Each structure stands twice: as structure tokens, then as C-alpha cells.
Amino acid sequence: MTTNSPIPYPFVAIVGQEDLKTSLILNVINPGLSGVLIRGEKGTAKSTAVRALADLLPEIEVVDGDPFQSDPRDPRAMAPDALARHLAGERLPVRRRKVRVVELPVSATEDRVIGTIDLETALKEGRKVIEPGLLAAAHRGILYVDEVNLLDDHVVDVLLDSAAMGVNTIEREGVSLSHPARFTLIGTMNPEEGELRPQLLDRFGLCVQVEGLTDPARRVEVVKRRAAFEDDPAAFAERWAGETEKTRQAIAAAIAAYPRVKASDAILYAIADRSLKLGVDGHRSDIVMLKAAKALAAWAGRDEVSDADVDAAAALALAHRVRRRPFEGIVREGGREKGEG
Amino acid sequence: MTTNSPIPYPFVAIVGQEDLKTSLILNVINPGLSGVLIRGEKGTAKSTAVRALADLLPEIEVVDGDPFQSDPRDPRAMAPDALARHLAGERLPVRRRKVRVVELPVSATEDRVIGTIDLETALKEGRKVIEPGLLAAAHRGILYVDEVNLLDDHVVDVLLDSAAMGVNTIEREGVSLSHPARFTLIGTMNPEEGELRPQLLDRFGLCVQVEGLTDPARRVEVVKRRAAFEDDPAAFAERWAGETEKTRQAIAAAIAAYPRVKASDAILYAIADRSLKLGVDGHRSDIVMLKAAKALAAWAGRDEVSDADVDAAAALALAHRVRRRPFEGIVREGGREKGEG
Amino acid sequence: MTTNSPIPYPFVAIVGQEDLKTSLILNVINPGLSGVLIRGEKGTAKSTAVRALADLLPEIEVVDGDPFQSDPRDPRAMAPDALARHLAGERLPVRRRKVRVVELPVSATEDRVIGTIDLETALKEGRKVIEPGLLAAAHRGILYVDEVNLLDDHVVDVLLDSAAMGVNTIEREGVSLSHPARFTLIGTMNPEEGELRPQLLDRFGLCVQVEGLTDPARRVEVVKRRAAFEDDPAAFAERWAGETEKTRQAIAAAIAAYPRVKASDAILYAIADRSLKLGVDGHRSDIVMLKAAKALAAWAGRDEVSDADVDAAAALALAHRVRRRPFEGIVREGGREKGEG
Amino acid sequence: MTTNSPIPYPFVAIVGQEDLKTSLILNVINPGLSGVLIRGEKGTAKSTAVRALADLLPEIEVVDGDPFQSDPRDPRAMAPDALARHLAGERLPVRRRKVRVVELPVSATEDRVIGTIDLETALKEGRKVIEPGLLAAAHRGILYVDEVNLLDDHVVDVLLDSAAMGVNTIEREGVSLSHPARFTLIGTMNPEEGELRPQLLDRFGLCVQVEGLTDPARRVEVVKRRAAFEDDPAAFAERWAGETEKTRQAIAAAIAAYPRVKASDAILYAIADRSLKLGVDGHRSDIVMLKAAKALAAWAGRDEVSDADVDAAAALALAHRVRRRPFEGIVREGGREKGEG
Amino acid sequence: MTTNSPIPYPFVAIVGQEDLKTSLILNVINPGLSGVLIRGEKGTAKSTAVRALADLLPEIEVVDGDPFQSDPRDPRAMAPDALARHLAGERLPVRRRKVRVVELPVSATEDRVIGTIDLETALKEGRKVIEPGLLAAAHRGILYVDEVNLLDDHVVDVLLDSAAMGVNTIEREGVSLSHPARFTLIGTMNPEEGELRPQLLDRFGLCVQVEGLTDPARRVEVVKRRAAFEDDPAAFAERWAGETEKTRQAIAAAIAAYPRVKASDAILYAIADRSLKLGVDGHRSDIVMLKAAKALAAWAGRDEVSDADVDAAAALALAHRVRRRPFEGIVREGGREKGEG
Amino acid sequence: MTTNSPIPYPFVAIVGQEDLKTSLILNVINPGLSGVLIRGEKGTAKSTAVRALADLLPEIEVVDGDPFQSDPRDPRAMAPDALARHLAGERLPVRRRKVRVVELPVSATEDRVIGTIDLETALKEGRKVIEPGLLAAAHRGILYVDEVNLLDDHVVDVLLDSAAMGVNTIEREGVSLSHPARFTLIGTMNPEEGELRPQLLDRFGLCVQVEGLTDPARRVEVVKRRAAFEDDPAAFAERWAGETEKTRQAIAAAIAAYPRVKASDAILYAIADRSLKLGVDGHRSDIVMLKAAKALAAWAGRDEVSDADVDAAAALALAHRVRRRPFEGIVREGGREKGEG
């Protein structure tokens, strides 16, 4: 039923699915949240929402012409070539463009993900001819994997290594090139096809569960909007342009406000208390909750984290970290509002 | 028993099998229905019907000489080369031809499905020498997989990626080319050889179950027609030519009428009600039912969807989407008329 | 005990095994019967009979020098090169030769079965240098697989695709050539080593079960003939030459008579009745039975199908198509006469 | 404990193991017996006996310089090159040499067994540069596989195809060459490491079971001879040279006498009776028994098969052909005398 | 939650986790301890601590420009090239630099670990063009494997061989080069994803179990420090610089003191007693305990091993060596203090 | 805990482990014993002892510059090149050097074990450019496999073939070279990681079980010696130099005396009796026991085998040959003295 129209369905026209939409926006506000895993049945708006997100993303500066998305102002986020030019005193050409959503197809080979080196030229001419991979394209952006639980184990290993080290290494028969590769990982999955390896599950900062709407009126609204969109995508998008622009500006404001958001010691203790009560492993949950709560406050226009922010953050950050317990209980708590498919 | 005659058995000469024939015609009227999965025992007319369909398909316009079936009037359905020429202001040469049925053999390699790149030439001469695959040939047409449940997992991944993104990427050691690849997927399967992965199952808009006829008189009719056809395929086709032409025109009329078909709010609520009662996942089923019901109305020459259209659409669209329940009950309901083998 | 003598054991000197011999001859009379599967224990005359069959086959006309066995009188059975010459108005050189038995060894690679393309030359000189495979050699003839149940799954997929489409596609990295490939498939198997995939089983028109003889006098006759043959193959063949010639002429007569054989409606109903009673899948069984019955009538010199022909045809055509029931009961019915090993 | 001395242990110095020695000699007398499978525990004289056999083999004539062992007097046993020269009227150079024992190591690759083609040269110079494999070397000789039950399945397929067709096909990317490959297959196995596939088991004409000696005096004799051999292989061989020569002459006499050996009808009925009583599959057992019994008569200097010959032949030919019954009972009957290890 | 900042989190700012920190420091004091295995749940400071360790490591001397980290003063720790120059009397250029932490990603290929040889150049120019692997880079340093239990079996074999022989052999089609490869192996693992092969487990001198802190106040401290670090890594590191420098000097002092540390016979008997009581295999545990106890004494500024040192050493060295018993009991004993995540 | 010092730990300084040390020395005295399998827990002196053995090995003569260790005095132990020169009458250059211990790493590829051929040069220049493998290096020496039970099945097949035939064949695409490859196989294994294939087990002449010492005083002695060795390997070796030299001379004397050692018939009967009582397979055990007993007598300076020699030989030769019975009982009998780890 995907129409594959090059015009994406507007994010703001999605009916319901508040958890899903919030978790995506929080990751735009603070990319340090490390992504979101979207679990849900077939035919819910999982992919639609992620693709629609592209429209709302802020701009970043990149070194013009650099296939590795080097940051012209931060040597630590530069690939070797840009770094060499920077160190040689060159003033790197700057281009502004939107943060990118890079899609990783399930059938992608390791070469396509990692990139390759044309070894012959490398050896003959002493020059590394690099074909950057999807990890280079996703640096400083969003890497989106539809059906992330179907990924080949080898590709998962590559994602884990890259997520752990913030670096991707392209190599072929001993010749190698490393470049920064830091990205927000967004994955969707239908649990019917199998679960994630614990290691990969842990790499997602947040997790939401999406389900179809059960209110007939809202279902009809979904079908009406969808039919209208398929009849004429451009006109439909136009109709929602105002709403889209408003959301875009709200996100920009929240990004700007985030560093000023404060969390009291009481809030920090409330966060620690959550993790301890649920028995989640380690400390990562505390830090994700703090970041999510601050992003929620910024999104709400406040500069102080509230107890409600902690509640909402816990609902998004803890469900997939609870050890050996069923998911649903917790997800339902924080995911009561259901959405469009 | 396949005679492999280059002259296909006439679609209109198939005895019975109304569900199968209807589901194929609906997909021709609205390719947005995303195909049909034909389940059934050995020796029923599954393959015969799909191959016969070719005769009834309408014409489309393609860029002449373009192996990617680029649409001369829609830049979003153009492959890179045609698009570049279009953007350079060239008036692309147009050719009219029938929508194509491309057959994907179970033994096909990934290279044959995706296409390949002659890397040496690409690197030496800076020119990409592309050998387009079956997905390029099937763009804007029908991709037919006999025994779809026997497909290699890697090829299934490729089909899923392509169906999800509307794009196919040919790549070899880092050199890559992407082109639009949107097709109606038609698959047959004998459940004795194993079921489909849920992910692939969900990609089929409709699903029908075919069985052998149990009325002796109709069985004898099948054998008589089949024997007559094998004795002299050309003469047999000639005998059915009038009927074939009538069906062809009826399909063309339905295609033209489709955009004018209306569905009342009562109809939309009836559709939502069906999905909710059967507990199917998500919202895809509602949208498929709406499209199928509209196509049925157009096929019947009406410009308003009726309750009977919803009933028939539900029989075709819901059976394979019901969660964890046996198939037969539902399929039988909407699939009472059996057909030829 | 295979002597591998280049002179085959005479078909007519095989003791007993009437079912096996009849099923082979029926396929020669009407290649549309799609072959025969020979099941049986070790050391029965399975391979011997198939190899001996070569001696009895009629002649066909082929395009001289064409490795694809193109039919000089039928463009639809021509490979691309012959077809191009034909379309260019060339009068194709004709050669008469016997129908061929092509043996597919269990260890054959996919390349050997399908054929290959010398890619380098193809790209450099713009000329496709084809090395045709066993499927090209078997076009319009018999493809024989000893121990067909041991075939590699990939090769089985190739056979199924070829049988389903009547076409074989040779491809290598995107360069491809398709040619007609229609053959009678004859396979032997010892069920001790595993059963066939249902899909492949269904491709065989007929199926016979062979067993060793239990009458001591006939066993001694087998050994005597076999020993005489091994002592001096040429002399032994000479001794049976008259019988061989008589059978060859009888087959030729039956081929000529086949198109004139009629089947009454009563016969057609009797056929449909058989399938329905045994609960076989679909309609293929009816059509195979009709063809087998007609071939039996032709072989007996009659031009009307009798009830006995239907009985015999049912014994050969239905056993392997009955759903989920043990084989033996039915096979025994129609396979009472046992034969030589 | 294999000393790997290039001088083999003398066949005639092996203590006991009469079954094993007889079965090997019978295969030398009549290669049509299709080999012997030697089953037995570790450390019995299995390999020693086969390697020792080389010393007793008769001479054959081969085309000098031909790596395919073409027979200068039999066009049907010639490889393509020799055959072409023969057909061109050339008088082929003849060389006499002993029948060869070719050893097939368990780790041998398919290429080494089948042979390969240097494709580059073949295409460039239009000349097939063949590297013949072990099957070419074993033509008209003995192919010996130690631990035959450990062979890779692909290599087993190659052996079975070659045994079934008497032909080996060397192929690489569509270029191919076929040559005659008929050999006596001798295999040893320790059942502890797994059984044979039924298909391969059936290819062995005879089967013997060897066990260690249980009489202390004979065990000491084994150790004494073995120690003497290891101290000075040449001297030991010299000591047994007379015995060896006597056996060699006896074998030559039996080969000459074999064609004159007669079997009465009573004998043939006795043979058939054996197979029927034990319920072995098919007729191969009868024919092997007849051949073995005739070879036993020839070896004993008689020109009429006796009842005792049938008994002994049955003991060697039937054990591994009895369906679904334990081996030991039968083997013990005909294998009472145990031998050296 | 990994920020992948190029500035590592300061080792000394890690809250708690005393066992983990001690075991790492002991390995720096005496690399002969052969590394440490860090077991623990997700989100504890496992990786953080290892990466932080880099800051505290002492300097070593290497042959300048040598990719194999050859020791300019020890011919036995030189790679072939450096050794050849040394033997030729050349005075090798010396460079001082810190001991290195080399990270082995789970997705690394064998080639990347072992290194490769450019065979073409090697054969054509008689010159070995080596691309050293991670084992060359790790020589005389630390090899760190995050998620060591997910390593491919082939890579584990390479690590085991290298650990056993102190040598790594780079080879490609028969050309090979061996170089010294001795390293401290540090691995982390989450037991949820599977256990280690016993062989690899045994290669780790020490083993610690890390768990999240359960004291709310300390959890809040962890989050506060972490948030401060992520806000401004440089400023945070600066704040801890004094503490870091103190630890660095203490380590240097302990390294210098180690050779002077004595262990009385009573201590040695206490060590032997520990192994015998727990029933650990072999003698390796005794020797590791002795080394660890001496390093603990050196770290505490004493030159005599105390009973408490033996207790602490046993807690680190024995847990993973006890045969077939659950881990927790013992680890808990010696690992009571928990730490940051 | 392996220090990987290039100076090996002195054999004579190993505490206890008498069985292990004796079995190694017996194989040096008579390489016809075909090696020893060392079973034992982690951390016992298994590897240490084998590596230490190198120091005690006698010298042999080899053809100078020959990578196949050809014996200048024995054409049957020459590789093709040396043999050709010898047959051409050349006086081969002789070099004396110690018998070598060649280590086969578990991660070694088949190419590295077997060797390879540079095919391109071979075909172009008609010259075989051989890269000999580890089997060539081990000819006439010791092949040592640490963790022999972890070897890849393909490499095990290669070892078995080579052990069975005394020959190794290097081949690549049909080009091949065979050279003698006879070696003493020494393997260690920790049964926790899995058992050996029976076939490989049988190739080891002797088998010992090693365990850690349980006497505290001896354990302390082990640690003391080990610590002293690690502090200063050269000084430690120096301290044991006298003892080492004495052992070296004793071994040389035993080698010289071995051919003169006699075994009475009573001894031979005692040996046969042992095998029969324990029910070992075949005769290999008798012959190994005889050789081991003679070597023990030679080592003890006697020229007559005693009953005690038979007892000791049985303890080493029979344990791993007893059919289907637990190991421990027997091993304990002959392996009472335990040793260092």
C-alpha cells in the first residue's frame, strides 16, 4: 500500500500515534538520545512517520563536496581528507543543508554499508579511491532501518562497532580508511518476524510501541486523509503546509532552548529511583531519561524539568531495558494514545 | 502438462475460478492494489491465468529505448539517464506498448533481479555500463513469481526493499545506480511447500485461494477446452477472440471510470468495522478494501461503491491479514465459486 | 555391475517390467506426457531401460549446426540465432537425426546444466560467446536424471523454471540469452535415499514402481541374457535386432495414428470420476490420463480410447498425485507384472 | 604405525584375512566384479593388503604417452585425442605396464578427482589444455579410497556418476571434455566413523569384514613379520619373493581360464534362490554372485562352478545388499577365518 | 549513550567499580598478567574504563617508523625488517611513545586482524609489500575487544594462536611473514549474549564482574558527572587533570617497584592452597595469583606480599578458573564494591 | 601466562609429569612410534614440555637449501627436485641440523599446511614455483598441534591422508607436486573443548593424561622455578644446562642402542595378551607396544625388553585404543606420578 510517492506524507497529518511522533521529535531536539526503536504491527504508520520526519529536520553546515559530511567547524567530526586540508590551513568551503535521513535496506551488502576502496588504483597510483558507504552518508544525520530485526548479523556487527566507536573503517586487503560515523539510529520492527539481539536493542535510546487505532471515527479519518493524499500528494501537502511550518519552528526553538533546561537534584533522584525500582541494567537508562526529560521540557517551552517530564521520559526509555520481563505492561502505561497507520 | 506454447491460453476460456480472475482484473484497473497472492493446489489454473492476463493489459507510454521503462510524462518515474535528458530540456521519444508481465524464475540470482554494473568500464572510462535486472523490466508493470514461497531469502529481501522504497539500487563494489521500480506483484504458491514470511505476505494487496472443480461436467469442459487448445492453439485463441476483445474493452472502461467512483461515509465506516471485527493489524487493510471496492464498482459500471462491493473486497483483502487464525474459514466465505485447473 | 558398454542392452530383451517399458513408449508416442518417474529398488533395470530407449526413438529435423536443436519449421522452437536467420529470410539447413537422450549427472554444476557466457569476449567484441548447457542439448529430446532425488536444490530449481516456462536463460553478470528448452523428463530414484520435493514430483506426467522378479525361472533368464550380453554385446544386440526393428516400426505407427484417436464423452467422464474419487489435486491428472489413454489406444492400433485404456492410464498417472496417502496400494494395482533388473 | 616405506609389505606375508585376500584376487581375475568394500576395525591390515595388491597385478597395453590410459586396441576405451588419431588411421604407439592402483585421498578436491581445464589457454588458443584428474589415472585400473565413508558428498557424487556412465566429464565454465573412466573401486572403512550412503554401498560388487586375530600365536606371528619388515623391508620382501611369484602366476592362469568356466542351470537356480531367500533388492546380486563364483572356480583351477563356489560368492556378494537387517550374522558365516592386522 | 567524544572520560572520575579499575591497573604494572575479562550488564562503565585507561599508560621505546612496534633494545621483540637492520649493525632510530590501546571491532575480518600481503608485487618484484594488521599494532600494547563473546570463531582461533606462540603469521597463497605479537588482552562481555569458549576464557589472567550501583546518591553522582562531561568534555577533563596526573605517577612508581617485591614461602603455600581448595585446573592460577599479589603490593607501595594481597589476587584470578561451578559466589566475595556505569 | 620468551623453559626443569616426559623421549628414540597425544586440563605443562623438547633433539642430515628436508642418503625420502639431481648423478650438498619442531596453529589454512603453487608462473614459464607448506617443513621432524581437537575438519583430513600415505600433494587447478611427508605427530588437547575423531585418535602411537600436582610442596616448587625463569630466562636456562646436556647424551645413547634391543617370545606373548584382554581393535597396539617397550629398554640402558617395559608401554599405548570404555581407569594405572603445570 506504500505509494512510493516522492512527496512524503506530511508528519503533522498523521492521526494519533503521539508516542511515536514525540520520540522522533525528541531525537531531533537532542541527537544524543541515540535513536528510537519503533515496534508495531504491520500497516501502522511506522515508515510513514520516519520518512515524513525529513521535512522537519534542522539545517547543519557541511564541508561542501565532502562525501563524509565533515563538520567545517569541528576537526573531530572531519574525515581524513577534510582534516588534512583544515590542518594545512585551508579555509574549508561551507554548505548549509538539512539533516539527512539515510535509509539502510535490509538487502544491503556490507560493502554498501561500510564503503569500499578501489584497491588497484590505491596501490598503483598511491591514491585511495574511496567509495563511501551508507555510514558515511548518515554521519551527523539519521540512519533509518525498516525491519531492523531482519538485518544480517554481519551488518548488525558493523552498526554496533560503529555506534560503539563513533568511527567507521573502510578496508580492503589491508588498505584502510577511517572516518567519523555518528548517527541517530531509527529502526522499525514487527515482532512477529523475530526479536532483536540484546546488544542492538540496547543501542536505541528510546522505544515505542505502535498499534492500530480502535476508534472507528479515527480509522475513517485515516482512510480519508490517505485517499486524499494518494489522489493528489502535492495538493494534500499544500493543505498541511502551515501546520508543518509551525512544527518546524517549534522544533528549532526547542533545540535552541535545550542547553538552558535545568534538572533539580530531586529530579535526578526521581530518575535514579525509576531505574532501581524496575531493575534495569547499569546506568545508561538514567542518563537517557535525563536527556529525554530535558528535551520534553524544551519542547514544552519550559526551562525546568518537571515530574511529568520524568514520567514521560521513563515511559520511552525504560521499557526495552527491563530485564527478562514482558514489554506490554510498561509500554501501555506511557503509550495510551494510539495513532494512525 | 504445461505445453509452453508461445500462444497463451485465453483468459476468458478459463472455466470457473471467478475469485482468481476478478482479483487479477482489479489489479489491472488499479495497480495501487499492490498485487495478489494466489494460493492453491497443484495443477489448478494459477500460472495459466497470470500468463493469460498479458492479453488484456492496457497500453502505457514509455521513453523509447529506455531499459528502465521511464515514464516520458512523469519525472518521478524516470531513471537517472532519462531524467537527465528531460532536465536538459530534451523532448523524450515516446513509444506506446502494453503493460508487461515479467516473470521472476525461482532460480534467478540476485544479480539478475537487481541488475549489475560492469565495474571495469565504469572505472576506466568514467561511464556506468549498466545491465538492468528484472526489477527494471517490471517497473510500471507486473512482476510474476511462480512458487513465490520457494524464493531465496536474499531475493525476498530485495523484493521487500524495492516494494518499500519504490526504488531499486544496482551496486557493485561501491559504484551504484538507483532507478524507480514500482510494480504489481503477483505470486502463486502451493502451501504444501511451505508458507510465506509474514513480511512478504503483507506486501500482497489481495489473496485468493484456488481449488479444483468438483462438478464432473465442468471438469470435462476443462479437459475438452484444454485438449482443443493443445491440438491447435491458434485456432482455439481465434475462437475466443471476440470474448477476449469484449473483456479488454470492459477493462479499459473501468480504468477510465475509476477516478469518478465515490464511497460514502457509511461505506468507510463499514470498511473500518470489518477490520476491527476481524482484528487485522494496522490500517493497510482499510485502504486496500476501499480501493478494491472502488475497482469492483468501476468494473460493474457503477460510480458508487455498494455494500456488496465491500463484502467482495473484504473477502479478497482480509483473509491473509487476520492475525494467528486459520485461513480457510474466511477464504471459503468469499471464494465459493471454484474454477478450472 | 554396470558394464558401461557403449553398445546398450536391447530394450526388447528386458525380461518383464511391462509398466516401465510401456510408460517409456507412451512418452515417445506423445512427448506432451511430460516424462516418467521410475521408482524402485537398487539393481533393477531402471537405468538399463532408459538407456536402451535411445535405440527406439524416431527422427526429428533440426537446424544443422545449431547447438540449441532449433526446429527448422517452427520459429517458436528456434533459439535466437536461428530465429534471426529465419526472420532474415535465410533458408535454414536441415538435418534429420534421432531424438536424443541427454544424461544429467547428479554432480553436474548449474553452469553445465544452464550453459555459460564468455563475458570477456561478450563485452570486448560485442559478441556473445555461448557455451550451451545440457538444457540446450535436451531441447526437443529426453533429459534423463539417474537418482533424481539426489539432485542439488539449485539444479532442481533450474529444472522447474525451465519446465514451467519452456525457456532456459543463460546469464552471467547481467548479460543473458534465452532459448527454448522443452524436454521429456525421465528420472529414476531409489526411495531409500529420500523422496522428491512435491513440486518436482508433480512435473512427471507418469510414475512407475519397479521391483525385482520373484519367479526363479525368470530371474535365471535375466542372468543368462545379461551374461550373454556381457560376453559379447554386439552379437547379443544382433540376435535381438529383428525384435528391435519391429518395435521401432510399431512406435512410428502409433505416433502417426495418435492424432486420429478419439475419446468419447463417456471416457472423459470416466477420467474425471477417477480424479475426483482419489481426491487428486487440480486438473492436471485428467489431462495426463486423457493423453496416456489416447497413446495406449494408438499403441494398441485402435482409434478409439477404451475403458481399459483409462484403467491403465490411471495406474500410471494417478499414483504420485494422490494427496497424503501411501503409494503402494495404487501402484500395485496397475503394476502387477514385475520385470528384469 | 604405517611406516610409509616405498617398498610395500608382501601380499603373501599377510597372516590370515582369507576373505579379504580372496575378494581382492577375485577382482583382479574379473574386474567386472566392480570392486570390494573392506569394513573393519582400526589397525587391521586393510590398507596394507590393498597396497600390497599392486605387486600381483597383470599387465595391460596402453597408448604410450596418453594420460587417459587409452586402450590401443579398443576405440571405446579411448579418450578423444587417442580416438581422433585412431580414426585418422594413425597406428597408436603401444606400451605394456602393470594395472595401476590409484589412491584417492579423503582430502582430495573435486578438481583433483575430475581434472581441470586451463580455460584461458583454451579460449585464447582454441586448444584445450587438460590437466587430467585421478579418474583419468584410474581408468582400466583400481581406484583405492582409504576411509571411503569420510569422502565429501560432492566427491561421492562424482564417483557415482562416473561409475554409472563409465565416463568422466572435465568442465570449466562451459568448456568440457569427456573421457572413459572405468575402474575397480576398492574402499576401506571403519564403521565407527559412520556408514556409507546406500547408493555408494551398492556400487561395490563385494564386501568383506575384517577383524583382528584372536589366537595369540598368530598375533605374535603378525608382530614378528611386521617387525622384520620394518627392520629391513627389502630383505623381507626378498624372503617372500618366491611365494609372491607363485601367486602372480596363479592369478594370470585364472584370468586366462575364466572365460572357459561354465555354470550349469542348477547353479543359476541356486544363485537366484539365495537372493530370493535373503530378500535382496533387484538382480544385481545374482549377476555378481555368478561372476564371483566363476572367478572362484578359475582361481581353484576348475572350469565348472561348484556349489561351494556359490556359497563363497554369496558370502562376499550378499551381506551388504540385504535390506534393513544387521550385517554381522551373514558376514560371520562367510568370514570365519580371521587375519593379520 | 556513547557520545564518542574524542576526549575520553577520565579514568579517575569513574564512580566506584574498584575491582575493574584495580584489575586494569595491575595489568599496566605487570603486562605478564595477560589481561582481564570484564563481565557485566549493559550500560555499566566497561568500555569507558578501558578507553580511559589509555591516559594512564607509561611510555615505551619503539623503532621509529616500524609498523610492528619493534623494541630497539630487544632483538627478540623485533619484526624481521628491524631485526635484519639490527643484525646488519645499523643503529635503529628510537622513538618514545605511550603504550597503545588497539581496538578490535567485532566485525573485523581475519585480514584486518592478521594483516595481508600484496602478493602480486611480492612475486613480481621479489619484495614483500606488507599491510600489517591489528595484531602488529597491538604488539607490546593492549588489544581491546568490546563484546569479546561475539567474536567470530576464526578470529578467536587467530587470537589463541597468537597468544600461545607470541607470534603472528601473515600469509597469502604461500608467501608469509611472521612477526612478534605479544599483547595484553582486555575483553568485555555481556553474558546475556553467550559465554566464552573455555580456551579463550583461560587466556585472560584476571576476571571481574561489574554491576550497576544500587545506592541512589552514587547513581545521581554518576549522572551528574556524565552530564557535565557531555556538556563540555575538555573542561571536565581539565577539572580532573590533577587526580589523573597523581594516578599516572603512582603507576609509574609501582612499575619501578615491582621487581623488588618479595613473596615469602608462606605466601607461596597460601597461594597453592587456594588453587587446591577450589580445584582449579593446572598451575596457571598459582602463577597468576603470585604476579597479581606482587603487583598489588607494588601498587600499595609495599615490597613484601601480604596475606591481603593474596586474598585480593585470588578474587581476581580464580573465579573464571573454577571447574563447572557457578561464578557468582566467588566473584561476589572479592567484588563487593560496586561502581559507576 | 605463556611468556612467549624465545628461550624455552628447560625440559629437565619440569617438575613431575613423568609420563609426559617419557612419552616424548620415546618418540625421539624411535620416531616409528608415530607421536603422542597429550590430554589434560588447562594450565598444565603440556605446551611447555613439547616446546622444551626441541633442545634435546638429535641432528639429522638434510640436502642443503632444500625446503623439503630431503635426506641426502635416501632417495625414498627425497622431494622430486633433489631426487632428479640425485638421479642425474649430482652429489647433493649435505647440511647437519637438529630435528625440527614445526608448530601447526589452529587457525592455519589448508594452503599453509599443504603448500601452494604459483599457477601463473607454472603455466607461463613451464616452471613450478612451489611455496612449500608446514608438512614440507615437518618432514623427518615433529609436527606439533596445540589444541589438536580444535583443528578444522579439512586440515584433519590432510593430516590423515599425509600420515596414511607418507606423501603430501600440493595442487592447484590440476598442476600438482608430491613430496615425502613423514613426521612424528604431537598434539595436546583439553577434553573440555571436545574429543578427537576416532580416525585421528588412532594415528597417535601413545597417549598420556596430565593433571596438576596436588602436593603443595611440589606446587610451590613449580611456581618458584617458573617465577625464576620469567625473571631471567637466560640465567635460568644456564642453571639447568648441565642437566640438559646429560639428558641429551642419554637420548643419543638410547638411539644408538635401540636396534640391538631384543624381545623374547615370552615378551611378544605378553604383549598379545594385553591387547586381547583389553579388547583393543586390530594389531596396531601390539606393534606400538613392542616398539615402546624396546625404546624403554634402550632408555634404561638395557638390551633386553623386561616385563616392566611391557607394563609401561601398555600404559602409554593402550588407553586410547580400548573400545567404548572410559579412559580414566587405565590412564591412572600407568600415569600415577603427576607433574608440573
Side-chain angles (χ1 to χ4, degrees), chain E residues 34 76 161 163-166 169 171 173-174 182 199 202-203 265 269 281-284 286-287 290-291, chain F residues 1-2 4 6 41-43 103 105-107 109 112 116 131 147 193 213 217 219 223-224 226 230 339 341:
Chain E
S34 301
R76 294 174 312 210
D161 284 336
M165 301 194 282
T169 299
E171 52 145 354
E173 310 196 21
R182 288 177 210 124
Q199 215 50 35
D202 189 49
R203 287 297 159 191
D265 269 22
Y269 273 89
D281 287 336
H283 299 255
R284 190 166 291 159
D286 298 18
I287 301 166
L290 175 57
K291 287 179 182 173
Chain F
M1 227 200 39
T2 340
N4 305 123
E41 36 184 50
K42 296 184 292 276
E103 200 149 333
V106 161
S107 68
T109 59
R112 187 158 167 214
T116 60
E131 304 285 347
E147 312 296 339
E193 297 239 358
L213 300 164
R219 279 190 92 95
V223 172
K224 276 187 175 169
R226 197 77 215 175
E230 294 196 13

Side-chain angles (χ1 to χ4, degrees), chain A residues 275-311:
Chain A
S275 291
L276 286 169
K277 268 198 189 125
L278 283 170
V280 300
D281 286 335
H283 299 255
R284 189 167 291 160
S285 54
D286 297 19
I287 300 166
V288 168
M289 272 193 279
L290 175 58
K291 287 179 181 174
K294 284 172 70 180
L296 280 161
W299 180 231
R302 282 179 278 105
D303 53 10
E304 183 95 24
V305 171
S306 71
D307 284 348
D309 292 336
V310 173
D311 285 352

Side-chain angles (χ1 to χ4, degrees), chain F residues 189-204:
Chain F
M189 63 177 279
N190 176 351
E192 264 186 81
E193 297 239 358
E195 285 294 341
L196 280 197
R197 288 165 48 184
Q199 215 51 35
L200 183 56
L201 187 63
D202 190 48
R203 288 296 159 192
F204 290 98

